[in-house]
């Protein structure tokens, strides 16, 4: 089999035979090609016996290779399309190499590639091997010195990691810059940028007194949209000092924004590279959510400087060590700066819809996977989001102080080196002197743990017993049997008047009850009347909790729970119950009408004047189909969609007056600002408008038109445009046309325009999508455009993607096959949209399987796409 399609196992990890003591790189950047010269000092690793060395290298034209100054003849080493094997090496030696690469024709956006008027790199996870021969593995750390030489006029900006130590002019109109990154780092954190870019600059003085130059680079036409990102960077630096005691460690912090990027952003040491989507943000072109996302991603990459860069990963199986931890840190950053409850609700909503689905899919894997074929396929929701939940578990169990003690010990032990998930767990346990043995299961067991609850109130004994039973997830993998996990359940009990009960002798009204056994019973004494329990408050563990709960109890919790998250969750559960009841009735062709208590509690929510409007907006947002289907089999997705639509219609018909009045009350007349008060009001107002528009009435369409034309901000404008377009209000085509004319030179704004159209719930949408693909603003080579058009159609337009004629599946298969030739990483992301196929009833499943089979049979498929379809088809 093709060597790039081999499965790699975690258990096969071997330490490197050689360390790299220093790397010197020189880049001669030209339009047609780039020459890369390397000088690397190697030293044998005495803890691993071996005097051979494998240098990864892919798509490189080797010009020269010498050891200690002596050119090696070709027969002196073994060269394949994956790299070079050197044997019989001395204990210490210097290797010099020279290669030629072709960045301008690199469409995979990995290694060195071109974006508009500049060249840039993306090395994580294994892109450095497309730049030069090197032991491209995260446990080999070295200080890098980088010299970049290029034409001064065409490439005025030349950046790399660390601090710039010199620069100057050369002959023939060329110039150079030289960079030193003193912090030893693995090759995946290398970065280089060369070309024409504008920038803004500020300075920040760290708590240690270091003055740092902060710069953000973009193409000139975007330079006026970088100020918010700059402020976010400053906020991140300050927050990490205040909450974690961590300060920045170089004299420069550079960020470069590009329109051509496979993911969100990359934490390269001292030289972050960002998707423009997470840098550019201005009032007339960014939604409130866009602003919050920019702040979160800027924070995320900045926080990696300690969790990822100063302490990195031993191997890629440990990816969650940096990603789970850094997501946890960015979540806390957003929670501290914005609304904690809203952030928690949104994160859990996402986890339940997407990560739980991944956990139930053929791609299910543990937070620390045991094997992979293509590592890029494991930058997953499980590694990132569930990984963050696992870090949050330590925080829940140890408290802020204990958690920070663990962090300090972790840095003390591992700063400047490559660590494992076990190292992190040990630091948390040792710093707090607690036993976290069982916690290992959070890293090793795949699937979503299931917890069943049974409650008994004994009126005579005045006790309330809560029995918890842990059950293995249905798709448990691995050799041994599934084992019970260590699960903290945060809980409270309320008396019938809504007062919290004291739960123990100390009088605590909230407890963290730790599950460790497959079955455990918590008994609360002195309970005078049958209580209502609030379990798994703030979503204290990433599990599915199953309990019998009546609509009356849910309504009670919606009113009385002190935990804002669980108040929301109660509303959410009640909504899911109603949609499911309607769906089941439809399946059996029975009737089911919406119970009065539901509308009553919905009205109560809507008219609640005391709660944060942002929380109300969350509570009024019905559960996604994804979050409802991931425990089910045989789902008729179109019918389930219909059941949800029915509930929406019912709500609008019954509560139109209330919705309209809340809409009007939350209209802000203040000048626009992205502060939590305004953001909250806008989200509630726009949620109301969303409901009102689903009723399909003319005067509501007029309301949306008014909002579109009068809005002083992009959130309101975009919400109105989306609703008008999705309802196909007469005149919507004209609005879309005007919008295009106004914004055709702004890629991010045009991408939103593409998404709005891709998600129209109408028969001709696929046709429209195919037409939009012909426009010059769309290119299969641009990941943002692909995600905005193809991704939105297949991932967010349920009725059209799942159209009963199978046209949606055929379309996705065609696009995956075409894209795989250009950009395997993005093709693999797209093909993953088939991964939930096993939840659907047999006809749907069959049609999706056929489309995957067609992809599977393509010759020369990338390892990326192959791994995913192969898993799906083999496990079906
Ligand atoms: N490490 C990056 C982050 O989470 C993400 C990343 C991984 C990435 N692989 C990538 C970004 C490839 C771009 C391309 O912040
Ligand atoms: Zn990250």
């Amino acid at each position: 089999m093709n060597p790039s399609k081999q499965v790699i196992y975690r258990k096969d990890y071997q330490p490197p035979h050689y360390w790299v003591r220093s790397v010197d790189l020189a880049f001669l950047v030209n339009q047609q090609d780039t020459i890369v010269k390397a000088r690397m000092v190697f030293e044998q690793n005495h803890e691993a016996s071996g005097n051979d060395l494998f240098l990864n290298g892919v798509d490189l034209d080797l010009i020269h290779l010498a050891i200690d100054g002596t050119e090696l003849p070709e027969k002196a080493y073994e060269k394949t399309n994956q790299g070079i094997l050197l044997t019989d090496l001395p204990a210490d030696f210097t290797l010099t190499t020279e290669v030629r690469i072709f960045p301008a024709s690199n469409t995979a956006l990995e290694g060195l590639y071109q974006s508009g008027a500049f060249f840039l790199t993306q090395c994580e996870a294994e892109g450095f091997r497309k730049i030069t021969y090197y032991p491209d593995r995260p446990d080999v750390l070295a200080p890098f010195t980088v010299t970049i030489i290029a034409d001064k006029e065409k490439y005025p900006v030349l950046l790399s990691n660390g601090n710039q130590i010199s620069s100057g002019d050369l002959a023939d109109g060329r110039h150079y810059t030289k960079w030193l990154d003193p912090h030893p780092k693995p090759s995946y954190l290398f970065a280089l940028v060369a070309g024409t870019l504008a920038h803004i600059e500020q300075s920040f003085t760290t708590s240690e007194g270091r003055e740092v130059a902060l710069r953000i680079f973009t193409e000139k036409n975007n330079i006026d949209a970088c100020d918010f990102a700059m402020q976010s960077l400053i906020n991140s630096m300050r927050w990490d000092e205040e909450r974690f005691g961590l300060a920045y460690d170089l004299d420069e912090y550079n960020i470069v924004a590009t329109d051509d990027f496979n993911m969100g952003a990359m934490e390269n040491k001292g030289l972050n590279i960002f998707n423009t989507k997470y840098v550019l943000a201005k009032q007339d072109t960014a939604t409130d959510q866009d602003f919050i996302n920019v702040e979160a991603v800027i924070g995320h990459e900045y926080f990696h400087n300690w969790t990822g860069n100063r302490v990195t990963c031993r191997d890629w199986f440990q990816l969650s060590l940096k990603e789970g931890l850094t997501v946890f840190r960015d979540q806390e950053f957003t929670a501290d700066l914005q609304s904690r409850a809203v952030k928690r609700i949104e994160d859990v909503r996402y986890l339940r819809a997407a990560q739980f689905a991944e956990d139930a899919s053929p791609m299910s894997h543990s937070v620390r996977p045991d094997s992979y074929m293509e590592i890029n396929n494991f930058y997953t929701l499980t590694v990132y989001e569930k990984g963050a939940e696992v870090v949050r578990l330590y925080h829940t169990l140890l408290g802020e102080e204990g958690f920070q003690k663990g962090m300090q010990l972790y840095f003390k032990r591992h700063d400047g080196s490559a660590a494992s998930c076990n190292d992190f767990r040990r630091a948390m346990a040792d710093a707090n002197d607690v036993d976290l043995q069982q916690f290992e299961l959070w890293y090793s067991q795949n699937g979503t743990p299931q917890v069943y609850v049974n409650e008994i109130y004994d009126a005579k004994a005045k006790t309330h017993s809560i029995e918890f039973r842990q059950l293995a997830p249905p798709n448990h993998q691995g050799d041994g049997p599934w084992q019970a996990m260590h699960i903290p359940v945060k809980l409270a009990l309320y008396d019938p008047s809504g007062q919290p009960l004291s739960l123990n002798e100390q009088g605590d009204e909230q407890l963290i009850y730790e599950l460790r056994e497959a079955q455990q019973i918590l008994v609360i004494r002195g309970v005078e009347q049958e209580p209502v329990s609030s379990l798994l408050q703030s979503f204290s563990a990433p599990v599915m909790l199953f309990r019998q709960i009546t609509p009356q109890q849910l309504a009670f919790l919606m009113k009385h729970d002190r935990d804002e998250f669980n108040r929301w969750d109660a509303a959410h559960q009640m909504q899911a119950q109603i949609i499911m009841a309607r769906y089941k009735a439809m399946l059996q062709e029975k009737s089911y009408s919406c119970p009065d208590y539901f509308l009553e509690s919905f009205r109560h929510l809507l008219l609640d004047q005391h709660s944060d409007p942002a929380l109300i907006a969350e509570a009024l947002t019905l559960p996604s189909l994804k979050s409802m289907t991931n425990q089910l089999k045989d789902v008729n997705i179109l019918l389930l969609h219909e059941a949800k639509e029915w509930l929406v219609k019912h709500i609008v018909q019954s509560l139109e007056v209330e919705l309209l009045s809340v809409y009007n009350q939350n209209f802000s007349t203040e000048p626009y600002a992205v502060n939590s008060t305004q953001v909250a009001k806008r989200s509630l107002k726009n949620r109301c408008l969303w409901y009102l528009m689903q009723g399909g009435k003319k005067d509501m369409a007029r309301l949306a038109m008014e909002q579109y034309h009068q809005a002083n901000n992009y959130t309101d404008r975009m919400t109105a445009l989306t609703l008008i377009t999705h309802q196909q209000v007469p005149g919507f085509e004209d609005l879309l046309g005007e919008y295009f004319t106004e914004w055709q030179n702004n890629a991010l704004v045009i991408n939103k325009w593409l998404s709005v159209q891709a998600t129209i719930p109408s028969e001709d949408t696929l046709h429209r999508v195919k037409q939009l693909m012909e426009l010059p603003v769309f290119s299969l080579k641009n990941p943002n455009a692909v995600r905005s058009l193809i991704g939105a159609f297949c991932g967010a337009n349920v009725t059209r993607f799942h159209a009963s004629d199978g046209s949606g599946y055929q379309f996705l298969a065609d696009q995956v096959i075409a894209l795989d030739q250009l950009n395997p990483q993005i093709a693999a992301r797209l093909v993953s949209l088939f991964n939930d196929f096993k939840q659907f009833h047999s006809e749907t499943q069959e049609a999706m399987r056929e489309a995957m089979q067609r992809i599977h049979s393509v010759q020369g498929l990338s390892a990326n796409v192959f791994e995913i379809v192969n898993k799906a088809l083999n496990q079906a």
Side-chain angles (χ1 to χ4, degrees):
M1 194 182 266
N2 180 333
S4 69
K5 284 191 188 160
Q6 271 163 16
V7 178
I8 305 186
Y9 295 90
R10 180 166 59 85
K11 62 174 166 44
D12 292 345
Y13 173 81
Q14 294 289 340
H17 291 172
Y18 283 83
W19 301 117
V20 179
R21 290 307 173 202
S22 67
V23 199
D24 264 278
L25 300 173
F27 287 81
L28 282 74
V29 178
N30 290 303
Q31 183 51 44
Q32 311 74 23
D33 61 15
T34 287
I35 302 286
V36 185
K37 298 182 189 180
R39 182 175 182 281
M40 298 157 269
V41 177
F42 284 93
E43 181 187 312
Q44 198 164 31
N45 174 6
H46 298 293
E47 275 155 37
S49 48
N51 60 356
D52 57 346
L53 169 66
F54 188 72
L55 302 169
N56 302 94
V58 174
D59 298 340
L60 306 173
D61 276 6
L62 181 60
I63 301 170
H64 126 118
L65 176 95
I67 288 185
D68 293 328
T70 310
E71 188 74 26
L72 283 198
E74 262 180 54
K75 59 179 184 336
Y77 52 88
E78 216 177 285
K79 182 162 166 280
T80 69
N81 63 0
Q82 296 296 306
I84 287 176
L85 181 67
L86 301 171
T87 48
D88 291 322
L89 291 161
D92 298 275
F93 65 93
T94 298
L95 181 74
T96 49
T97 60
E98 183 173 334
V99 301
R100 187 190 310 273
I101 52 180
F102 300 90
S105 54
N106 177 353
T107 58
L109 313 190
E110 184 188 50
L112 182 61
Y113 65 94
Q114 184 172 7
S115 171
F118 62 104
F119 290 107
L120 72 160
T121 55
Q122 171 53 42
C123 292
E124 187 176 6
E126 300 181 332
F128 194 70
R129 62 192 61 183
K130 293 180 160 184
I131 294 173
T132 196
Y133 285 100
Y134 198 77
D136 190 13
R137 44 187 291 168
D139 57 350
V140 172
L141 281 70
F144 279 62
T145 308
V146 178
T147 308
I148 314 166
I149 300 168
D151 183 86
K152 191 171 180 175
E153 214 178 287
K154 281 183 84 176
Y155 308 99
V157 176
L158 305 173
L159 307 171
S160 191
N161 314 89
N163 301 318
Q164 186 176 310
I165 51 173
S166 68
S167 64
D169 289 340
L170 301 169
D172 315 326
R174 296 186 306 167
H175 71 146
Y176 81 96
T177 61
K178 189 168 180 179
W179 298 78
L180 171 65
D181 180 3
H183 301 281
K185 67 166 175 290
S187 50
Y188 83 86
L189 290 172
F190 169 82
L192 176 145
V193 170
T196 305
L197 289 155
H199 79 273
I200 61 167
E201 179 160 353
Q202 282 216 26
S203 107
F204 181 87
T205 307
T206 69
S207 54
E208 296 167 348
R210 181 194 292 270
E211 199 175 312
V212 185
L214 314 177
R215 295 185 204 91
I216 299 181
F217 294 81
T218 67
E219 284 172 292
K220 202 165 139 213
N221 55 323
N222 289 326
I223 198 65
D224 62 339
C226 297
D227 298 333
F228 184 83
M230 180 62 90
Q231 189 53 50
S232 301
L233 177 58
I234 292 168
N235 294 345
S236 309
M237 296 177 86
R238 193 168 297 133
W239 182 85
D240 214 12
E241 291 180 350
E242 286 171 1
R243 175 102 186 249
F244 279 78
L246 298 171
Y248 190 59
D249 54 6
L250 289 166
D251 306 329
E252 302 190 29
Y253 195 95
N254 293 314
I255 291 177
V256 175
T258 172
D259 279 326
D260 303 285
F261 207 61
N262 281 347
M263 304 260 262
M266 181 62 213
E267 70 263 25
N268 317 299
K269 184 83 188 188
L271 178 52
N272 287 182
I273 296 181
F274 269 66
N275 191 323
T276 42
K277 187 171 161 52
Y278 297 111
V279 172
L280 308 178
K282 291 200 301 183
Q283 172 170 349
D284 55 347
T285 49
T287 63
D288 292 337
Q289 194 56 54
D290 289 330
F291 279 101
I292 292 170
N293 290 345
V294 167
E295 185 178 75
V297 179
I298 294 266
H300 180 95
E301 305 313 328
Y302 177 73
F303 304 143
H304 266 314
N305 190 54
W306 278 93
T307 51
N309 302 2
R310 287 289 286 257
V311 181
T312 192
C313 301
R314 186 194 73 169
D315 56 62
W316 291 119
F317 297 105
Q318 317 298 327
L319 181 59
S320 197
L321 174 70
K322 76 175 176 81
E323 294 304 346
L325 178 53
T326 304
V327 171
F328 170 77
R329 275 153 53 70
D330 85 53
Q331 289 175 348
E332 285 298 295
F333 171 59
T334 302
D336 283 347
L337 268 69
Q338 311 290 332
S339 156
R340 178 163 290 271
V342 170
K343 177 64 177 160
R344 191 69 190 133
I345 289 166
E346 281 170 358
D347 288 341
V348 175
R349 205 195 272 281
Y350 183 46
L351 188 85
R352 282 177 173 164
Q355 196 279 325
F356 281 18
E358 182 171 275
D359 246 351
S361 82
M363 265 298 281
S364 176
H365 55 276
S366 50
V367 164
R368 184 193 55 207
D370 293 316
S371 69
Y372 59 76
M373 179 178 286
E374 169 54 61
I375 183 56
N376 280 306
N377 287 338
F378 285 79
Y379 284 74
T380 58
L381 293 148
T382 301
V383 166
Y384 276 66
E385 312 305 321
K386 186 176 180 181
E389 292 299 321
V390 171
V391 173
R392 187 172 295 280
L393 291 174
Y394 294 107
H395 192 271
T396 303
L397 289 167
L398 304 171
E400 171 73 4
E401 208 183 310
F403 183 80
Q404 292 297 348
K405 277 206 302 204
M407 289 301 298
Q408 276 160 27
L409 186 60
Y410 173 67
F411 289 124
K412 192 171 156 212
R413 286 180 178 172
H414 304 289
D415 187 12
S417 68
S420 67
C421 296
N422 267 331
D423 291 329
F424 186 79
R425 183 166 55 87
R426 254 179 242 130
M428 285 290 156
D430 294 352
N432 291 281
D433 202 16
V434 292
D435 177 6
L436 291 173
Q437 278 297 343
Q438 193 181 5
F439 216 81
E440 157 73 1
L441 297 169
W442 280 109
Y443 295 97
S444 62
Q445 291 193 141
N446 76 303
T448 312
Q450 318 218 335
V451 178
Y452 287 80
V453 173
N454 190 25
E455 294 178 82
I456 297 172
Y457 176 66
D458 185 333
K460 250 205 217 138
K462 303 211 183 304
T463 58
H464 188 69
S465 314
I466 313 177
E467 180 199 34
F468 296 90
R469 278 183 304 125
Q470 295 192 38
L471 253 73
N475 59 342
H476 167 65
Q477 305 161 349
D479 311 327
W482 177 86
Q483 294 173 55
M485 320 262 287
H486 185 177
I487 300 173
V489 180
K490 198 185 274 189
L491 56 88
L493 297 187
Y494 298 99
D495 75 11
S497 74
Q499 286 306 306
L501 298 179
S502 117
L503 302 172
N504 53 22
E505 268 146 36
Q506 298 89 279
D508 291 330
E509 293 177 347
Q510 194 184 45
L511 265 193
I512 293 174
Y513 183 62
E514 294 183 33
L515 307 184
R516 288 173 178 270
E517 320 273 328
Q519 190 200 19
Q520 248 166 276
I521 301 178
L522 169 66
V523 181
I524 309 288
R525 294 177 198 288
V527 184
E528 297 293 333
Q529 298 172 70
E530 175 153 20
V532 178
S533 64
S534 166
L535 304 178
L536 207 71
Q537 291 189 326
S538 303
F539 199 65
S540 61
V543 302
M544 284 185 203
L545 190 101
F546 299 95
R547 65 187 295 201
Q548 296 296 336
I549 188 157
T550 64
Q552 290 72 24
Q553 288 170 320
L554 288 173
F556 176 93
L557 289 173
M558 283 166 66
K559 272 196 198 132
H560 298 296
D561 205 330
R562 308 266 166 115
D563 185 67
E564 288 170 316
F565 175 86
N566 265 10
R567 238 170 29 231
W568 166 80
D569 202 33
H572 203 244
Q573 283 180 49
M574 190 188 281
Q575 293 156 2
Q577 282 181 353
I578 307 284
I579 296 168
M580 279 314 292
R582 173 73 180 191
Y583 168 68
K584 285 187 179 145
M586 287 167 85
L587 277 176
Q588 297 164 7
E589 292 175 35
K590 289 189 184 149
S591 69
Y592 175 85
S593 46
C594 189
D596 288 340
Y597 68 75
F598 175 80
L599 290 173
E600 219 13 78
S601 71
F602 203 89
R603 173 186 287 114
H604 185 86
L605 270 178
L606 188 58
L607 301 180
D608 179 348
Q609 301 283 343
H610 307 292
S611 304
D612 176 359
L615 287 174
I616 299 175
E618 289 290 351
L620 300 180
T621 304
L622 301 183
S624 66
L625 298 186
K626 278 214 156 204
S627 68
M628 300 180 56
T629 53
N630 56 43
Q631 297 129 273
L632 302 177
K633 289 254 175 290
D634 253 346
V635 176
N636 182 332
I637 188 72
L638 295 176
L639 209 60
L640 185 63
H641 175 81
E642 231 180 89
K644 185 172 164 181
E645 296 270 278
W646 159 84
L647 181 59
V648 172
K649 293 259 153 52
H650 210 80
I651 291 169
V652 198
Q653 277 158 18
S654 320
L655 299 173
E656 190 182 287
V657 175
E658 291 87 341
L659 285 162
L660 198 55
S661 102
V662 176
Y663 175 83
N664 288 321
Q665 276 165 36
N666 285 279
F667 228 103
S668 168
T669 46
E670 296 163 40
Y672 175 80
V674 197
N675 59 43
S676 46
T677 317
Q678 280 200 21
V679 171
K681 284 184 142 197
R682 270 192 292 277
S683 67
L684 180 53
K685 180 194 67 176
N686 285 326
R687 179 54 46 193
C688 291
L689 184 61
W690 181 86
Y691 276 108
L692 290 166
M693 284 293 285
Q694 309 305 309
K697 283 200 189 162
K698 271 208 187 105
D699 37 348
M700 296 308 150
R702 215 173 301 127
L703 195 64
M705 280 292 189
E706 253 170 53
Q707 173 164 323
Y708 180 79
H709 289 294
Q710 287 165 14
N712 69 345
N713 68 84
Y714 190 68
T715 305
D716 285 350
R717 205 166 176 222
M718 200 58 207
T719 304
L721 181 65
T722 305
L723 294 171
I724 291 163
T725 304
H726 287 183
Q727 293 296 321
Q728 306 195 48
V729 173
F732 81 97
E733 296 280 12
D734 294 337
L735 285 194
L736 288 172
E738 286 164 25
Y739 184 104
F740 180 80
T741 313
E742 188 177 351
W743 295 112
Q744 55 185 310
N745 296 318
N746 185 321
L748 293 178
V749 180
I750 287 301
N751 286 342
K752 289 217 165 68
W753 179 82
L754 294 173
S755 292
V756 169
Q757 298 181 70
T759 45
I760 301 174
S762 134
E763 300 235 332
D764 60 1
T765 299
L766 181 54
H767 177 68
R768 180 188 290 268
V769 168
K770 288 177 178 168
Q771 281 184 327
L772 291 169
M773 286 177 70
E774 300 300 317
L775 293 180
V777 291
F778 180 85
S779 164
L780 263 192
K781 290 185 183 167
N782 182 269
N784 285 356
V786 169
R787 282 184 279 256
S788 301
L789 190 56
I790 303 171
F793 177 81
C794 299
N797 194 337
V798 184
T799 52
R800 295 335 298 165
F801 178 58
H802 291 291
S804 47
D805 61 2
S807 55
Y809 311 143
Q810 290 310 323
F811 172 70
L812 179 55
D814 290 342
Q815 301 316 316
V816 168
I817 292 166
L819 196 55
D820 198 39
Q821 302 289 316
L822 300 167
N823 188 330
Q825 282 183 37
I826 301 301
R829 296 273 158 185
L830 270 193
V831 82
S832 304
L833 292 169
F834 282 124
N835 266 346
D836 56 2
F837 75 116
K838 283 196 297 177
Q839 282 154 13
F840 303 125
H841 68 71
S842 58
E843 254 168 69
T844 303
Q845 234 184 80
E846 211 32 63
M848 292 173 87
R849 185 179 292 120
E850 256 171 52
M852 281 191 280
Q853 255 145 6
R854 184 153 66 84
I855 299 170
H856 196 253
S857 67
V858 169
Q859 290 294 309
L861 214 55
S862 69
N864 309 57
V865 169
F866 177 81
E867 178 174 33
I868 290 170
V869 287
N870 197 48
K871 274 196 178 139
L873 293 173
N874 286 337
Q875 289 184 17

